[in-house]
Every structure is written in C-alpha cells, then in structure tokens.
Amino acid sequence: MSLRRRIARVLVALTTVCGVVTGASPATPPSLTFANPHSQGLFGAAYAAALDNLLRVNTVGYDAHYNTSGLMDPATGMVRAGGGYAQPWTRDASINSWNATSLLSPALARNTLWAVVDKDPAGALRVQQDDQQWDQVIWLTAAWHHYLVTGDQQFLGDAYRTAKNTLAIRERAGTAGFNAAYGLFTGASFFNDGIAGYPAPPADATESISTGSMPWPGIASGMYLSTNEVYYAAYVNAANMADRLGQPQEAASHRAKAFALKAAINRYFWNPATGLYNYQLLADGTPGAHQEGTGLAFAILFGIANPAQARSILAKARVMTWGMPDTYPHWDRYSEAQPGRHNAIVWPLVQGLWAKAQALQGDQRGFAAETARLAKLANNNSGFWEIYNGTTGVVDGGWQRLGDTVKFHWGSEPDQTWSATAFLDMVHTGLFGLRYGDRGLSFAPNLPAGWGDVTLRDLRYRDADLTITLRGAGTRIRSVTVDGRPSRAEIPATLEGAHTVEITLTGAAGGDRDGDGVPDAGDRCADTAGTVSGCPAPAHLEAEDAHNTGGVKTNVNHTGYSGRAFVDGLWAQGAASSFTLHRASEGQGSGAITVRYANANSDARTMTLSVDGRVVRQVSFPKVSGSWDDWGTVTFDNVVLSGRDPVVTLSFGAGDTGSINLDRLGYGES
C-alpha cells in the first residue's frame, strides 16, 4: 500500500467528521429479484448490499479541492474509494465508473472521473500526475465506457483531450514510460502497488527496500502484463474517441500504436508451455512465468488473446477456493499460513474482472462459481471488504513488509467500493449481458442452471426505465420480447420511458457445481453443497456461512472452532447472524435450536432470537470460561417454524448485551 493510501485513513475520517453530502444517485435504485428463494438470499442480498455500498456509503459530497479540472459539477457528489480510504485515486475512480457508476448514476460517475483529472501549467487537461504513474491510462477505458453508456458528447470531447495529453506524457516519461527496445511500457503491474505482489527477483526475501513497488529498480524498469494491456486498451479507446469526434488521422495513429503494442504483448508475454500469459518481463529479458489475475482477465476483455489463447486461459488458469487470486502461486517468502497482501490472496476487484472475462467467453460454469463466491464473501462478512483469504474466505489483509518489520500482517478494510462494483458488474455485464454501443443497448445474458428466473427492475439506461426478466437457463437466446412484442435482443439509445424486456434462454450446461450429487438444474442451492434438496441440512449450519450483517465477520484468531472460521462482531446494536434452515416439508413444526458459542465476558450475555423477521424471545448465553478459545453450547426449545426455508436470526437488539462469538447453529424438530 502506498503512503498516500495510509494518509487517506486520516483524510476519510476528516471527511466523515465534516459531513457527507450525497447527490446524483438514482431516485429509485434497481432491484434484483429471483424466483428461487436461495438465489434471492445469496445473490439478491449481495446485490442490495453492493448498491448501498456505492450509492449511499461511499458517495460523498462535492469538494472544490478536487475540481482542478474545472469540469466537476458542484451540485453533484463523487465516489470515494471506500472505508479507510479517501478519494480520489485514478484507478479506483476509473474501475468503479467502468464497473457500475456510469450506468447507475451517470452524473456521479462523471464527477468522479473529473475528480482525478487536473491541468498542466498551460491549462491542458490530463489525468492527475501522482505517484502511481503506471495506472493513469485506465482512466481512458472508463471514460470511453462512460460515453457509450451515456452518449454524452460534451464529456467525450473533454475526455479525448485528456486522453491524448495523458498518453503523450506517459510516452515521454522517464519513469513508468515506454521501452522502445521491447515496444512495451515499464513500471509496476496495474494492480500491484505493494511489493508483496512481486516474486524475487525483482523483490528480495526480506522485502528490504520498500513496502511499495516503484522504489524497487527491477519493478520500475520491468514490464508487466496487465499494465501493457491497459495501455493497449487506452490506445484503442483513444482511437474510438477520435473517430467519434471526426479526427480520422489521429484515430489511425492511436490504432497503429495499439496494433504494435498488442504484437509486443503476445511476443514477450505469451507462454506456449503454460498456455497462459507470463506476469513479468525484467529489463534484462528475464521472463516470469507466474499468473496474474488482472492480466489474464484483461487479455480476454480487451481482445489481446485470440480465441484459442482465450480458451487456453480459461482452461489452465488456477483459481483458489474463494476465487481468482491477484498473483499466483505463493512466493517463497509467503505461505498458506501467511499469504502475501498481493499474492495468492483474493481481492474482489480481480474476481470481478475475471468473471467479466468468463461471461464474455460463455464460460457459464466458471462465471457462476466466481459470482457465487463473491456473493458469499459479502453475505458472510457484513458487506464488501478489501481482501479475503483465498483458502478460507476469511477477511484477511495479508502479509507484507511495513517499515522495519518483515511480514507485517495488514488489515483488510470494510466497505470497499471496487469490491461492491465488481459484484454489480457481475450482475449487469455477466448475468444480464448488458453490452453498450453507439446505437443502443444489447443483451447477451448468462443465466446458470439452478439460479431460477430473475428480474432486474428500475434500471435506467439514458432516458429509458427498464424492467428486464430472464427465464430458463443458458446463454442461447430462444426468444425476446420488448413490451410484449417480439424483438431483437437490443433496444435503441433513443428509447424513452418505462419498458419491459423479457428474454428466454436455453442451452445451460449440465453439471453439479457444488458437487453434492444433485444436478444444478434441480438443485435448490446450486452453488452450496447440501443434502436437503441440494441445500445444507438444518442440523449443522456454520456461522461463517450465515448471512452476517451489522459488522459481523469471519475470523480465525481463536482456536477450537468448527468449520473454516467463526464469526465475531456481535458488539453493537444492529449486528446479526441469520441462518436459513432448509426443510424437507412446508408444514409448521416445533423444535430445538442449539448454538455453539464463546463467551469470555464476566457474565451471561443476551441476544434476540427471531424467525422470519418476527421476534421469538430474548435468549441468554452463559459465560463459558475466561478464554475466547473455549466453546460451549446452549439450546432453545419450542421454536416454531413453517415453510421450506425459514430464516432464524440471532441479533444484538434493543436491551441485549451481545458481545459473543458464534461457531454454529443446529435445528432439530420434535
């Protein structure tokens, strides 16, 4: 993490103290509704949390300090990077606009993009010139996407001037500039601003030079896959902008540079032996046959990989238990027990890009798995955190040198915007297959078997208010109707008012994603293994798999728990853990709930027990011992349930004392 990000923790606290003014969010945010209750609980809940993250938690007020471009609207706010981090950074602003903000709140995205643009002494627009030079040009991809979504011609003209000036700066730069010998750009990889993201060499065994990446000579002069792919996309999108603005000669120049860069990427990074692109190329020509998640995703998304290469990437890339890792495998100085902050660890940003690439290639099984993983990570941990352990799924900031300390264990910050927008993009670009063009919006949906029919309501696209329903399962479109009339899978950019789009899909790949012996098409919980119609049996439900809210999250800092973790954070009113009990019948029944928990407080603690949102009673958790490593059980009798999927919640309500850790819950009918 850069010094700037550490300073930001202070800045964001000041922003909070001074107050937050929101603006430009849609009057009615979209809603996602699945016919399958389990899909609604998994994906619908994560979608609602992601919307709240973007449009409420991380939308902050206008600040004139950031309006160095002179193009921000004082009546509109902007999107910050997330909890613990203040705005603005080029990469965060760009990724969040590209992922979701340009669609969901165009004015907010526009302000956010201009918040990371300034002017040179002569008054020329440019992406801000900060200490993370290598990622500046991702802004061009976000800006072009913003134009395609909105059709904003005024924005396009200013964006092209910014793009052209920024590319010229980077081409001439001595640091993170162009290496003519290879025809590639130098400097850190797109995502890895910390030294933990690099093998040795260019790092060393003790990370002795710096926490950041650019102070390392081998990284500053090295060439990295994702960074060069981002430059390729920047040239392509600059050419697209120039074309739309009637400047064909400039467009041709940008395209020539893009063509040459794409050829260099395939020449120096493609590895036929692994069937993947290499991660790095050091200045002396030494290759690094490691896996970079963003690099592999960009190769597919930007069309750098040809069809055969794309298929090879999808088949041979290694994905960890909880998702596509940043870099892989573990460097020698890290391990399963101590993963690096940017190495063999899961960042939702990377997951989102990978899922977008899988959806683009029609890899339905892979897309479904990655989307389910991120939904579970969010639901199990009170929202979208910065980093998760790739093996356990526990909130984990990873390890990296800090100052004079080697292998310092970093924190993982909550409420990360690009983690939330990654999931929003999985739904919009992946599930519903939204594709933007000059003439309008088209659809290439990807609805996995077992998820059930799904509807996205109140989605604003330019001047249209859309309700989009997907039926069936698969990637092949069998029929489309717009307002009840047969149609192509597209709507024009000029469409106004409220309209309904219904798409019926077929051709879903058969399979059993969760490996529980129940085919996806008939599995009530197609992405969670279980024995009750494919869902977990109610007799043993781990707390780390519950829907945890209000600050409750997974942890492993005590011993003796079952499963992969326990949950803590039941420390304040509003904290809750909700367990869905999948029953074999719908009828009413009465039974006992047994909870395994830890309580090292000096007295018994209380919580509120609810069923399907209705309070049953206050329940007590006696002290177990003086150690949080010790666990006890308590049973609550005569709990009445009905329906096939009742939800049992333990919450810190009014009058409760809370402050316990939860390990698991079980229910047995009398």
Side-chain angles (χ1 to χ4, degrees):
M1 180 185 297
S2 68
L3 176 62
R4 186 174 184 184
R5 280 198 180 270
R6 294 199 294 274
I7 293 172
R9 300 185 186 192
V10 176
L11 294 178
V12 77
L14 292 174
T15 300
T16 302
V17 170
C18 294
V20 171
V21 178
T22 62
S25 295
T28 303
S31 63
L32 185 69
T33 306
F34 286 86
N36 181 325
H38 181 77
S39 295
Q40 184 61 31
L42 179 60
F43 304 111
Y47 185 80
L51 286 174
D52 186 64
N53 177 300
L54 172 63
L55 299 176
R56 185 186 65 82
V57 175
N58 288 315
T59 294
V60 298
Y62 169 82
D63 186 336
H65 173 75
Y66 297 128
N67 193 15
T68 51
S69 67
L71 295 171
M72 293 180 69
D73 177 3
T76 301
M78 59 186 181
V79 178
R80 67 173 185 166
Y85 301 135
Q87 175 74 15
W89 289 286
T90 301
R91 187 173 49 185
D92 303 73
S94 303
I95 288 291
N96 289 325
S97 297
W98 181 23
N99 276 348
T101 319
S102 290
L103 173 64
L104 297 176
S105 184
L108 187 63
R110 188 177 187 276
N111 249 27
T112 302
L113 290 169
W114 290 134
V116 296
V117 170
D118 61 21
K119 294 179 179 178
D120 67 14
L125 292 168
R126 62 186 183 180
V127 173
Q128 62 182 354
Q129 299 298 294
D130 55 20
D131 62 351
Q132 298 200 0
Q133 311 95 326
W134 63 91
D135 68 4
Q136 290 171 10
V137 298
I138 188 63
W139 189 92
L140 278 71
T141 292
W144 173 246
H145 175 78
H146 184 81
Y147 165 72
L148 288 179
V149 173
T150 65
D152 187 337
Q153 290 287 337
Q154 180 178 350
F155 174 86
L156 180 65
D158 291 330
Y160 180 57
R161 286 188 287 277
T162 304
K164 187 165 58 170
N165 294 337
T166 302
L167 284 170
I169 291 169
R170 298 270 39 95
E171 290 167 352
R172 298 191 301 264
T175 301
F178 188 68
N179 183 331
Y182 290 98
L184 296 167
F185 282 86
T186 63
S189 79
F190 163 75
F191 184 59
N192 294 314
D193 55 359
I195 188 56
Y198 300 86
D204 60 32
T206 60
E207 299 181 348
S208 60
I209 295 176
S210 170
T211 303
S213 56
M214 284 298 284
W216 292 76
I219 294 173
S221 63
M223 291 147 282
Y224 290 87
L225 175 63
S226 58
T227 295
N228 280 279
E229 292 168 327
V230 168
Y231 272 92
Y232 167 76
Y235 281 123
V236 170
N237 292 325
N240 290 334
M241 292 179 186
D243 272 337
R244 298 312 183 277
L245 293 168
Q247 301 183 42
Q249 290 184 333
E250 292 190 9
S253 175
H254 295 311
R255 285 203 170 89
K257 293 176 181 178
F259 179 84
L261 187 52
K262 179 178 179 178
I265 292 169
N266 278 297
R267 176 182 178 186
Y268 290 110
F269 287 101
W270 179 252
N271 188 334
T274 64
L276 300 170
Y277 285 92
N278 288 345
Y279 172 36
Q280 70 178 14
L281 176 69
L282 299 183
D284 64 3
T286 303
H290 315 290
Q291 177 179 298
E292 182 193 18
T294 53
L296 296 182
F298 285 153
I300 294 172
L301 292 172
F302 298 150
I304 293 167
N306 64 36
Q309 289 171 319
R311 290 192 297 270
S312 179
I313 291 169
L314 292 174
K316 297 182 179 181
R318 293 291 302 275
V319 178
M320 299 184 74
T321 304
W322 284 94
M324 170 57 76
D326 177 6
T327 57
Y328 194 83
H330 291 287
W331 313 141
D332 290 342
R333 62 193 188 274
Y334 296 115
S335 66
E336 191 81 6
Q338 295 185 346
R341 183 166 174 81
H342 291 89
N343 176 225
I345 204 165
V346 169
W347 292 69
L349 162 70
V350 181
Q351 289 183 285
L353 292 170
W354 180 241
K356 189 200 296 269
Q358 290 171 314
L360 184 65
Q361 285 294 305
D363 179 7
Q364 188 175 79
R365 183 182 180 89
F367 164 75
E370 200 70 27
T371 305
R373 291 181 189 116
L374 183 50
K376 291 175 186 177
L377 290 173
N379 291 342
N380 299 163
N381 293 284
S382 297
F384 293 86
W385 291 69
E386 184 179 28
I387 320 173
Y388 302 87
N389 187 287
T391 301
T392 66
V394 171
V395 173
D396 185 353
W399 297 74
Q400 181 173 268
R401 176 182 177 271
L402 178 64
D404 294 328
T405 303
V406 175
K407 284 190 175 180
F408 179 85
H409 197 187
W410 290 65
S412 177
E413 297 289 349
D415 296 325
Q416 294 304 286
T417 319
W418 62 16
S419 298
T421 62
F423 187 77
L424 293 172
D425 189 56
M426 288 173 166
V427 172
H428 299 151
T429 299
L431 176 58
F432 284 88
L434 304 185
R435 304 288 187 267
Y436 309 94
D438 279 338
R439 296 183 178 181
L441 175 67
S442 61
F443 306 93
N446 192 327
L447 179 58
W451 283 18
D453 295 351
V454 56
T455 298
L456 184 62
R457 293 182 174 85
D458 296 312
L459 182 73
R460 295 288 301 182
Y461 167 67
R462 300 197 182 185
D463 292 323
D465 187 346
L466 304 177
T467 296
I468 309 168
T469 297
L470 305 180
R471 304 188 189 281
T475 58
R476 294 200 302 272
I477 295 176
R478 191 171 69 190
S479 65
V480 181
T481 63
V482 176
D483 299 328
R485 295 184 294 274
S487 172
R488 298 168 60 90
E490 60 188 35
I491 60 171
T494 55
L495 193 67
E496 298 180 356
H499 299 274
T500 60
V501 179
E502 293 196 6
I503 302 174
T504 301
L505 299 158
T506 188
D512 178 16
R513 286 191 298 274
D514 54 26
D516 61 2
V518 181
D520 295 332
D523 194 338
R524 283 170 64 196
C525 305
D527 294 285
T528 305
T531 57
V532 179
S533 301
C535 297
H540 186 119
L541 300 173
E542 292 287 346
E544 63 270 24
D545 295 323
H547 186 195
N548 296 306
T549 56
V552 180
K553 65 175 180 62
T554 54
N555 211 333
V556 292
N557 65 343
H558 296 294
T559 61
Y561 56 85
S562 64
R564 58 187 173 87
F566 63 91
V567 299
D568 62 17
L570 289 157
W571 303 324
Q573 284 192 19
S577 292
S578 297
F579 300 80
T580 300
L581 277 58
H582 302 285
R583 303 169 68 226
S585 65
E586 295 187 5
Q588 181 171 294
S590 177
I593 289 176
T594 298
V595 180
R596 189 170 191 258
Y597 70 100
N599 178 11
N601 295 293
S602 60
D603 57 356
R605 314 298 280 189
T606 59
M607 301 283 288
T608 296
L609 174 66
S610 302
V611 175
D612 290 333
R614 299 185 300 274
V615 173
V616 175
R617 60 180 180 266
Q618 188 181 66
V619 292
S620 178
F621 294 84
K623 177 180 178 179
V624 176
S625 77
S627 171
W628 290 101
D629 294 325
D630 294 333
W631 301 85
T633 60
V634 63
T635 298
F636 311 122
D637 294 317
N638 302 316
V639 178
V640 178
L641 303 177
S642 62
R644 295 191 72 188
D645 299 289
V647 177
V648 172
T649 300
L650 291 167
S651 61
F652 192 142
D656 290 330
T657 52
S659 298
I660 62 172
N661 291 339
L662 294 179
D663 184 35
R664 65 173 184 255
L665 178 148
Y667 173 78
E669 291 196 7
S670 304

